[in-house]
């Protein structure tokens, strides 16, 4: 059976169920169950000869079962069709079956199977009785609706089969991929703690030269480059990159992500690192993930360009600068002969280490002004106090 044949059958079953509900309401309103009781009684008479041929293992209390059906025809049996929800109708059928087995004395599986077969015939009679209340026009319209609906779905699927297949294939490929990993990385949220670099009440001032160098680093033609931004704790490394990333995110074709120690552990789980956009990756406290970052650069240098972003920029934030004494983070980053060669080849040729100094006096004054205003104390902003 084809997919569309199954769909047509399922949709028709649903429509028939809706018509049954409607017809049952009409019967219930008219209190006309006499014919239904006659039809069920006629079924029992027709089944009687077959019942007498049952084996001892299949035989059940036929009179007790029919007495139950007659007494509960208007409630438990009819609920199999007129309950408002599908799960309620299914529950009504289970309840009817259990009750029927009890009154029929069906205490073995063989007897229960025979009772079930008889109940199925009873339910067919009940359903047929309800559907007789539906006029021919409604049957015609519903039949045409089912056919038109399934035909429309079939035509749509055939017309867009290639596109749908590609979308499904892409979804499968995306699941568990490096692209999904990147998209799951949470951006740094704003933080209203006093003087926190992500506090939205505190502006970003100065650093024009540093922003220019970062832009030059971003715009170079090399596929893969890294650089370090170093400086004492609290000097403004994270704030600089936080605001630079906000600018980069506004550029078409670029995405920025921040790595943590935990998220960096998954960098080397993949065999392909392709991503549909250019990627700027910021590693704060880079020394804690220097080994993973070094391995990652090595892997990226070995795969085909199609297996990595069109352009990748990695920025490491650390306190110790590169100089006469090699800092520990850089030793870990470049450990191993192959990794050292790759790291050196991928370093920003203009300035692999941007050493950050503290903000100037004017920037500090403006930060203090922002803070005072955020606390509702602008009267504290006198020139004497800011000097």
């Amino acid at each position: 059976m084809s997919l569309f044949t199954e769909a047509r059958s399922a949709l028709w079953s649903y429509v028939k169920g809706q018509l049954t509900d409607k017809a049952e309401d009409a019967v219930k309103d008219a209190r006309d169950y006499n014919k239904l009781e006659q039809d069920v009684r006629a079924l029992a008479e027709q089944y009687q000869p077959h019942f007498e041929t049952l084996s001892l293992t299949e035989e059940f209390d036929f009179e007790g079962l029919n007495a139950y059906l007659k007494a509960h025809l208007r409630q438990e049996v009819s609920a199999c069709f007129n309950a408002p929800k599908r799960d309620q109708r299914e529950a009504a059928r289970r309840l009817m079956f259990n009750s029927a087995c009890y009154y029929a004395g069906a205490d073995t599986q063989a007897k229960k199977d025979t009772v079930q077969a008889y109940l199925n015939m009873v339910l067919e009679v009940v359903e047929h009785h309800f559907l007789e209340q539906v006029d021919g026009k409604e049957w015609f319209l519903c039949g045409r609706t089912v056919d038109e609906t399934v035909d429309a779905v079939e035509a749509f699927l055939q017309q867009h089969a290639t596109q749908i297949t590609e979308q499904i294939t892409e979804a499968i490929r995306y699941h568990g991929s490096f692209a999904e990993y990147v998209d799951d990385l949470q951006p740094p949220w704003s933080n209203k703690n006093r003087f926190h670099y992500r506090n939205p009440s505190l502006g970003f001032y100065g650093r024009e030269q540093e922003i220019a160098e970062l832009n030059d680093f971003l715009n170079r033609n090399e596929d893969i480059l890294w650089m370090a931004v170093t400086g004492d704790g609290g000097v403004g490394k994270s704030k600089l990159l936080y605001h630079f990333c906000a600018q980069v995110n506004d550029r078409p074709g670029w995405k920025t992500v921040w790595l943590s120690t935990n998220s960096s552990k998954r960098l080397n789980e993949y065999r392909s690192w392709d991503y549909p956009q250019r990627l700027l990756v910021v590693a704060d406290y880079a020394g804690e993930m220097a080994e993973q970052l070094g391995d990652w650069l090595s892997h990226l240098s070995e795969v085909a360009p199609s297996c990595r972003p069109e352009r990748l920029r990695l920025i490491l934030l650390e306190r110790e600068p590169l100089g006469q004494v090699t800092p520990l983070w850089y030793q870990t980053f470049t450990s191993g002969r192959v990794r050292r060669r790759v790291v050196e080849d991928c370093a920003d040729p203009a300035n692999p280490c941007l050493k950050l100094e503290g903000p100037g006096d004017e920037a500090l004054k403006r930060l203090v002004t922002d803070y005072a205003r955020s606390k509702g104390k602008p009267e504290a902003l006198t020139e004497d106090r800011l000097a």
Side-chain angles (χ1 to χ4, degrees), residues 204-216 240 244 247 354 356 360 362-363 366:
F204 178 69
Y205 307 110
R207 303 297 191 191
E208 290 83 3
Q209 180 60 38
E210 290 85 351
I211 292 291
E213 291 193 41
L214 290 173
N215 277 315
D216 290 342
L240 169 65
F244 179 66
Q247 297 176 18
L354 174 60
L356 212 60
E362 184 60 30
R366 298 180 71 177

Side-chain angles (χ1 to χ4, degrees), residues 27 32-48 62 66 69-70 73 77 118-133:
V27 172
D32 181 21
Y33 274 90
N34 292 334
K35 186 172 185 308
L36 178 57
E37 292 174 352
Q38 293 172 5
D39 292 341
V40 173
R41 188 163 52 248
L43 173 67
E45 293 173 356
Q46 294 174 7
Y47 188 80
Q48 180 68 40
F62 189 56
N66 281 294
L69 291 174
K70 180 179 179 180
L73 183 61
V77 179
Y118 180 68
L119 288 178
N120 288 341
M121 290 188 285
V122 172
L123 291 175
E124 288 180 6
V125 170
V126 175
E127 182 181 46
H128 177 72
H129 175 77
F130 288 156
L131 291 176
E132 281 185 334
Q133 314 305 316

Side-chain angles (χ1 to χ4, degrees), residues 32-286:
D32 181 21
Y33 274 90
N34 292 334
K35 186 172 185 308
L36 178 57
E37 292 174 352
Q38 293 172 5
D39 292 341
V40 173
R41 188 163 52 248
L43 173 67
E45 293 173 356
Q46 294 174 7
Y47 188 80
Q48 180 68 40
H50 175 72
F51 174 76
E52 294 174 354
T53 65
L54 295 177
S55 65
L56 291 176
T57 58
E58 298 173 317
E59 189 174 312
F60 57 88
D61 185 349
F62 189 56
E63 291 184 2
L65 175 57
N66 281 294
Y68 160 75
L69 291 174
K70 180 179 179 180
H72 297 85
L73 183 61
R74 299 193 181 194
Q75 294 182 353
E76 291 186 18
V77 179
S78 295
C80 298
F81 298 96
N82 63 27
K85 295 182 179 179
R86 176 183 295 179
D87 58 341
Q88 293 174 334
R89 293 192 291 270
E90 292 174 351
R93 288 182 180 240
R94 290 193 295 271
L95 175 62
M96 184 192 70
F97 173 70
N98 292 333
S99 299
C101 288
Y102 172 78
Y103 284 98
D107 52 1
T108 66
Q109 188 60 49
K111 293 180 180 181
K112 290 180 180 180
D113 291 342
T114 310
V115 169
Q116 181 67 72
Y118 180 68
L119 288 178
N120 288 341
M121 290 188 285
V122 172
L123 291 175
E124 288 180 6
V125 170
V126 175
E127 182 181 46
H128 177 72
H129 175 77
F130 288 156
L131 291 176
E132 281 185 334
Q133 314 305 316
V134 181
D135 63 32
K137 181 180 178 180
E138 287 184 283
W139 276 110
F140 170 76
L141 291 176
C142 288
R144 189 170 68 179
T145 299
V146 169
D147 290 340
E148 290 177 350
T149 301
V150 175
D151 289 343
V153 172
E154 182 176 5
F156 175 84
L157 291 177
Q158 290 176 347
Q159 180 181 355
H160 300 280
T162 301
Q163 179 182 356
I164 293 172
T165 301
E166 291 175 352
Q167 290 175 345
I168 293 174
T169 302
E170 179 60 27
I172 294 173
R173 192 180 74 86
Y174 178 77
H175 181 65
S177 67
F178 174 72
E180 183 181 48
Y181 159 79
V182 169
D183 292 340
D184 285 344
L185 291 175
Q186 296 297 318
W189 305 110
S190 60
N191 189 315
K192 294 187 178 181
N193 288 339
R194 182 174 57 179
F195 295 122
H196 194 281
Y197 72 90
R198 298 199 302 267
N199 188 331
S201 299
L202 305 181
F204 178 69
Y205 307 110
R207 303 297 191 191
E208 290 83 3
Q209 180 60 38
E210 290 85 351
I211 292 291
E213 291 193 41
L214 290 173
N215 277 315
D216 290 342
F217 166 71
L218 206 68
N219 294 330
R220 292 189 180 281
N221 294 324
E222 289 87 348
D223 293 346
I224 306 173
L225 282 179
W226 71 269
M227 73 178 301
V229 176
T230 64
D232 295 336
V235 77
K237 302 182 295 296
S238 298
K239 189 175 185 69
L240 169 65
L241 265 299
Y242 180 68
H243 287 274
F244 179 66
C245 285
Q247 297 176 18
V248 175
N249 282 331
D250 291 334
R251 299 187 186 184
W254 277 95
K255 181 179 178 65
T256 67
V257 293
W258 288 65
L259 290 179
S260 65
T261 303
N262 286 333
S263 62
S264 68
K265 295 176 181 177
R266 296 181 53 195
L267 278 175
N268 298 294
E269 294 180 358
Y270 307 95
R271 293 294 176 265
S272 177
W273 293 268
D274 57 307
Y275 194 75
Q277 294 177 282
R278 297 177 176 186
L279 206 55
L280 169 61
V281 180
V282 179
D284 207 353
Y285 300 99

